Amino acid sequence: MPALLLTALAVAFTASPGARQARVVVPSAPPPDARPASGTGAITGVVLDASTGRPLANATVQLETTPPGGKRQLFLQITTPTGRFAFIDLPASDGYLLTATKPGYLDGGHGRRDPRGPAAPLALTDGQWIGDVRVTLGRPGSIAGTVVDETGQPVVGAYVRVMPRVMLAGRAEWFIGGAARTDDRGAYRIAGLGPGRYVVTVPSVQATLAASATPPAPGASAGTSMSDLRAASAADRAVRQLVDAGDGQQLVAGRYAVPPPPGPDGRRMAYPIVFYPNVATPADATPIDLEPGESRQGIDFQLRPVATARVAGVLQGPAEAIAGQIVRLLSVGLQELGEGSEVATAVSLTDGRFTFLDVPDGRYVVEVRHAYAELAISTLGDPSTAVPVPLRFPAHRAMSMNVSAAPPGVHLAALQDDAEASFWGRQSIVVSGRDVDDVVVALTGGATLSGRIEWAPGTPTTSVSLVLEPADARRSLGVLGGRTSGGARGARGSRGIDTFEFRGLMAGEYILRLMFGGEARVESITWQGHDYAERPFDASDGHDITDVVVRLASGTSTIAGTVTEGAAPLAAGAAVIAFPADPGRWSNYGFNPAGLRSVLTTPDGRFRIDGLPAGDYLLVGVPSEEERAWLDPEYLAARAGRATPVRLDDLASTREGVMLRIVR
C-alpha cells in the first residue's frame, strides 16, 4: 500500500513543472563515488505567507539530511502555483531539516520560530508519508523617517543606524544593526529587520589628523576594518576629505553631517551623536518594538548643533608604544558599541601628543588598545549599509565567528594588530564649556597568558585554533588569537606545535577556547592545580599567567532520550535545554559556552545532544519557542528545580533513554 501511495504522489507532483525534485549530494567522509541512498518515504506540504495565510508560489524548498556514515544530501524543489511541494523516494532518517526561501521574505523552516534559527528535525521511516507540513514565510520589517537640521532643512547623506537589544551571555545588551543613508529629501529607510526591540541613532564622529598627514589613495587601506568585515559600501572606501582646522590639525569631513560655522562667541559647532527621539544615550532613548513584518514610519530626527571644545593630551609610555596610535574618545556608556560609535578619534604624534577637535560637553573615556571586537546581528532580507570607520584600525589579524551565547544571527568580528609590545591605556575626562589640554593617558603593558598543549595517547593529530574570549563578553577587551611555538600567526597547532602565548591582555577575565578540525576535544585546562576549562582566567592585576596546560583527548559525549507531555507522547516537537548544575556557570562564560546547549526534538519528542564536556548537568524539556531561553539565567533558575540531573564522567560518556516531561 505505501508503494502505491508513493507512486500516486510521484505522478501527481512531477506533472507540475514547479515541483520537480532535484537531488544535490555534498561530499563528506564517504568516498566521492558513493551514491546517495533512495527509499520509499515522502514528505509533502505547503509554503504560506505568514501574514495572509495564502500559498506562496515559486518558493525554494530545501530538504537536508545526513544518513549515519553517509553523505550530506540536499533535495531541492520550487513550489507550485498553489504553494505545494512533495519530496518522494526518500530514505529513512531521524534528521530531515526542511527550510524554504523566497525573495522579499524572511527565511522559514519546519518548526522554526526565528528566521535565523534552526528548523525542527523530521523523522521519517521506510514507507512513511509525512503530509501537510506547513512552512510560513514572513516579510521583513523596516524603520523609516527623516533627518533635518536646526532650520528644518533636509540633511542629505547622513547615516542612520539601528541597534537591536538582545541577550548576550546572560545580560541584555545593545548590538550593532543595519544602517541606511538619507536621500535628497533627508529621508531614510532601514529594511530587512526581524521582530524585536531597537534603538535608532544618527552617529557623528569627528576624526582628527595632523596637518602633515595625507589621505590614502583610492582603495588603499592601512589594515582590515570592521567595515571591511561587514562589506562596507563603495562610499566608505572613497578618499578622505581633509579640512584645515588650524593649530596644525585637519578634520576628516564628508562622512557625517557637516556642522554650521562657529557661533557668535567663536566656538566651533558640531552635531553630536543622537538617539531617537534626539537624546544623548541609548538609556534615554525611546525603543522601537517591531512586530513581524511591521514597517514603522515617522522615526524622525532634528539635528541641533552644540558648542564644542578642544581636548588635547599625551600618551605616556615607551617610545615604540606612543607614536602613531589611534586614540578614541567615547561617551561613558557607549564603550562597548564598537567602531563608528566614537565621539572623536585622533592619531598620536611621534611624541605621543594627540588632539580631539569639536568635542561637545559630556563625560568621556579616552582609550588606546590593540584589539577590537564588535558584535552585530545580521539584517534580514535586504542588504544594509555599513557606517564608515573614521580612522581605520591597523589590524594584521582578523577573525569572524558565530556567537552561541546570543540569539541566532549574531556574529563576532575581532581585530588584533601585530604589535610586539601591546600597551593599552584608558582615562576618564569631563568636558564642560572650555578646552581640556592636560589629559594624560598612561599606557600599560598587557599581561601574557602562555602554556602548552598535551595530547592523550591515541588522540588523532588535528589542527587547533586558540582564542581568548572576555568572560563577561565585554567587546572592549577584544578577542585575542594566540601565537604558537612554530611561529605561526592565527593560532594553528598540531602535535609538532604544542605551546601557545597570548600577549596584551587588558584588565579583565578571559575564557580560553580551543576549536578543532578533527576528533580531538578539551579534556582539561589546568593552572596552579585548578581546572579552567569553563572557568575564567583573571588578568585584572596585570600579572602574567604562565604554565597553563591544555590536555586534549578523543571522544564525543552523547545524551539521548524522549520528551513527553505528561504521560502522553508529544503531539508536536519541543526543545531540550542542557545546562550545568552549578549556577555559577549560567553566566560569565564568554561568547561560546561549551556546557550550555539546546536542541529541537523530532515531532514525536526524541532528542540527541552531542559534545558536552564532562560534568554534572540539568536537562529540561520546554516548548520549542523557548529553545534559546537559556540565555537568561533567571529562566534557568526558575526551571532548575524541575529539571532532570545527568552526569557525564568523561568525554566519551553516553547516556541514552533519558525521559523528560515538558515544563511550561
Side-chain angles (χ1 to χ4, degrees):
M1 189 66 178
L4 293 176
L5 179 60
L6 294 177
T7 301
L9 283 170
V11 172
F13 279 83
T14 55
S16 171
R20 284 195 289 267
Q21 178 171 310
R23 186 197 304 266
V24 179
V25 182
V26 181
S28 57
D33 59 352
R35 300 189 180 277
S38 181
T40 57
I43 298 175
T44 65
V46 63
V47 179
L48 304 170
D49 185 300
S51 299
T52 66
R54 296 175 180 173
L56 289 177
N58 299 317
T60 300
V61 184
Q62 174 179 297
L63 188 67
E64 175 184 348
T65 187
T66 304
K71 293 185 177 184
R72 176 170 169 252
Q73 299 180 33
L74 302 180
F75 303 89
L76 302 176
Q77 283 188 5
I78 305 298
T79 57
T80 68
T82 58
R84 304 293 301 182
F85 61 87
F87 295 96
I88 63 173
D89 298 332
L90 297 175
S93 174
D94 285 339
Y96 277 109
L97 301 178
L98 192 147
T99 56
T101 60
K102 182 178 173 65
Y105 288 84
L106 305 177
D107 293 350
H110 168 255
R112 176 182 282 180
R113 296 296 189 271
D114 189 308
R116 291 165 288 227
L122 286 162
L124 186 71
T125 60
D126 288 328
Q128 182 184 9
W129 174 19
I130 300 177
D132 199 29
V133 177
R134 292 172 175 260
V135 178
T136 58
L137 302 184
R139 292 189 179 274
S142 64
I143 294 176
T146 58
V147 181
V148 298
D149 64 16
E150 68 277 12
T151 67
Q153 295 299 307
V155 177
V156 180
Y159 287 89
V160 186
R161 180 163 68 180
V162 295
M163 293 166 43
R165 189 166 179 81
V166 297
M167 292 296 295
L168 170 67
R171 289 176 296 276
E173 300 271 1
W174 294 109
F175 277 48
I176 299 302
R181 297 190 76 179
T182 56
D183 61 17
D184 59 331
R185 304 164 298 165
Y188 73 91
R189 180 175 181 269
I190 304 173
L193 301 178
R197 170 164 286 194
Y198 297 87
V199 157
V200 188
T201 177
V202 178
S204 178
V205 186
Q206 309 300 322
T208 308
L209 293 174
S212 58
T214 57
S221 171
T224 306
S225 73
M226 296 295 183
S227 292
D228 294 328
L229 297 178
R230 296 194 309 266
S233 65
D236 184 43
R237 297 193 295 269
V239 177
R240 296 189 182 108
Q241 302 173 36
L242 301 181
V243 177
D244 184 6
D247 295 330
Q249 301 292 333
Q250 302 175 99
L251 276 175
V252 180
R255 290 183 170 185
Y256 297 95
V258 178
D265 58 357
R267 293 183 65 185
R268 294 176 60 89
M269 310 293 287
Y271 291 123
I273 181 173
V274 292
F275 299 84
Y276 179 79
N278 296 314
V279 296
T281 68
D284 296 325
T286 299
I288 309 299
D289 291 313
L290 208 61
E291 298 297 326
E294 181 182 3
S295 295
R296 185 70 63 89
Q297 307 288 329
I299 308 303
D300 303 328
F301 293 86
Q302 183 171 33
L303 305 185
R304 298 185 181 276
V306 297
T308 65
R310 181 173 68 99
V311 174
V314 63
L315 306 181
Q316 286 187 347
E320 69 273 14
I322 64 174
Q325 301 298 319
I326 292 182
V327 189
R328 306 168 77 222
L329 183 70
L330 302 112
S331 294
V332 171
L334 303 185
Q335 300 98 308
E336 301 299 325
L337 294 184
E339 291 186 311
S341 60
E342 304 93 342
V343 171
T345 59
V347 177
S348 64
L349 303 179
T350 55
D351 59 0
R353 288 182 295 117
F354 61 88
T355 302
F356 301 117
L357 300 177
D358 298 350
V359 178
D361 289 354
R363 297 171 57 238
Y364 299 102
V365 172
V366 182
E367 70 166 29
V368 174
R369 50 189 165 106
H370 291 260
Y372 289 78
E374 181 175 294
L375 286 167
I377 188 166
S378 59
T379 301
L380 300 163
D382 298 326
S384 64
T385 298
V387 172
V389 177
L391 292 174
R392 292 177 181 271
F393 177 70
H396 293 267
R397 283 182 281 179
M399 69 180 77
S400 179
M401 67 180 73
N402 292 329
V403 177
S404 64
V410 172
H411 301 276
L412 169 74
L415 303 177
Q416 186 177 352
D417 69 13
D418 213 32
E420 289 298 322
S422 297
F423 286 79
W424 64 275
R426 186 176 289 139
Q427 179 63 49
S428 298
I429 65 168
V430 176
V431 178
S432 181
R434 58 190 179 89
D435 292 346
V436 179
D437 295 317
D438 56 355
V439 179
V440 176
V441 181
L443 300 186
T444 303
T448 296
L449 186 148
S450 60
R452 68 183 186 276
I453 299 174
E454 295 181 350
W455 302 76
T459 305
T461 301
T462 183
S463 60
V464 180
S465 296
L466 302 92
V467 296
L468 274 182
E469 302 177 355
D472 58 3
R474 273 189 292 158
R475 287 86 86 193
S476 58
L477 294 182
V479 175
L480 303 179
R483 302 164 186 253
T484 65
S485 60
R489 306 289 173 161
R492 294 190 299 272
S494 68
R495 285 184 184 273
I497 303 176
D498 58 2
T499 65
F500 57 88
E501 180 182 70
F502 296 88
R503 300 179 184 177
L505 278 66
M506 299 171 65
E509 295 185 334
Y510 297 84
I511 295 283
L512 179 59
R513 295 286 181 213
L514 283 80
M515 294 167 285
F516 309 94
E519 298 180 1
R521 299 290 183 270
V522 175
E523 184 178 79
S524 63
I525 300 176
T526 56
W527 181 60
Q528 294 185 345
H530 298 284
D531 191 358
Y532 284 81
E534 294 299 318
R535 174 181 173 182
F537 292 94
D538 191 351
S540 299
D541 59 6
H543 293 162
D544 291 345
I545 300 170
T546 60
D547 298 324
V548 176
V549 179
V550 177
R551 183 172 175 82
L552 303 183
S554 58
T556 299
S557 66
T558 297
I559 302 175
T562 305
V563 179
T564 61
E565 184 76 63
L570 282 181
V576 174
I577 299 174
F579 55 103
D582 178 8
R585 293 175 56 192
W586 297 352
S587 61
N588 210 40
Y589 44 61
F591 296 126
N592 293 285
L596 280 154
R597 199 77 55 82
S598 60
V599 297
L600 293 169
T601 71
T602 59
D604 59 0
R606 286 179 291 140
F607 71 91
R608 178 187 178 100
I609 301 175
D610 294 320
L612 286 172
D616 292 308
Y617 294 90
L618 299 175
L619 268 67
V620 61
V622 298
S624 57
E625 60 268 21
E626 298 177 11
E627 186 250 341
R628 300 289 293 173
W630 59 263
L631 294 171
D632 186 349
E634 293 183 2
Y635 179 93
L636 299 180
R639 285 153 182 80
R642 292 179 287 173
T644 298
V646 174
R647 178 173 178 78
L648 298 175
D649 294 317
D650 52 45
L651 292 178
S653 292
T654 299
R655 290 291 307 273
E656 296 183 343
V658 177
M659 301 297 295
L660 305 176
R661 290 189 178 186
I662 194 166
V663 175
R664 298 186 184 274

